[in-house]
Amino acid sequence: AACAPKECVSFSDERCCNANQDSKGCFWDVKQSPAVCSVGPCRSIDDANTCGSQRGRMWNATRNACIEKDCNKKTDKCACNADPDCYFFSDAASDSAHCAFQRYGTCPTL
């Protein structure tokens, strides 16, 4: 039997990978070098209670799936700071502010 290609690895750049985050559960994995498009770490969790109890994950009722928490959708500083997985970043020099996932929120821009 022929080997089946792994889902998501066919997307060779971050933009295409992230465009398939909702439909296939792909995410751009920078823990590997070089970075690669991979299946999301919480994709195998299939119930809301287990998903909600794990840090950095949230249940998406529309997709009926566990996904990585999307702090970017929080536009209010108070709501962002109330979530321990999120970090509110504000840059006075560029007059920008946004909510980011704690894992990446404190990283400097490149």
Side-chain angles (χ1 to χ4, degrees), residues 5-84:
K6 289 186 177 180
E7 214 171 2
C8 299
V9 295
S10 62
F11 304 111
S12 59
D13 63 59
E14 186 175 4
R15 184 180 58 82
C16 291
C17 180
N18 290 339
N20 285 281
Q21 186 173 25
D22 287 339
S23 62
K24 298 187 186 320
C26 301
F27 84 110
W28 191 248
D29 187 358
V30 295
K31 290 181 183 174
Q32 299 184 48
S33 182
V36 66
C37 189
S38 187
V39 174
C42 55
R43 178 104 185 265
S44 61
I45 300 170
D46 60 4
D47 73 90
N49 292 332
T50 304
C51 178
S53 69
Q54 297 195 11
R55 187 155 196 231
R57 301 189 174 143
M58 63 184 267
W59 187 255
N60 182 315
T62 305
R63 290 179 38 215
N64 199 29
C66 188
I67 62 170
E68 189 165 345
K69 188 170 281 190
D70 189 359
C71 297
N72 296 339
K73 292 183 179 173
K74 295 180 187 291
T75 55
D76 179 65
K77 181 178 181 178
C78 293
C80 181
N81 288 338
D83 190 324

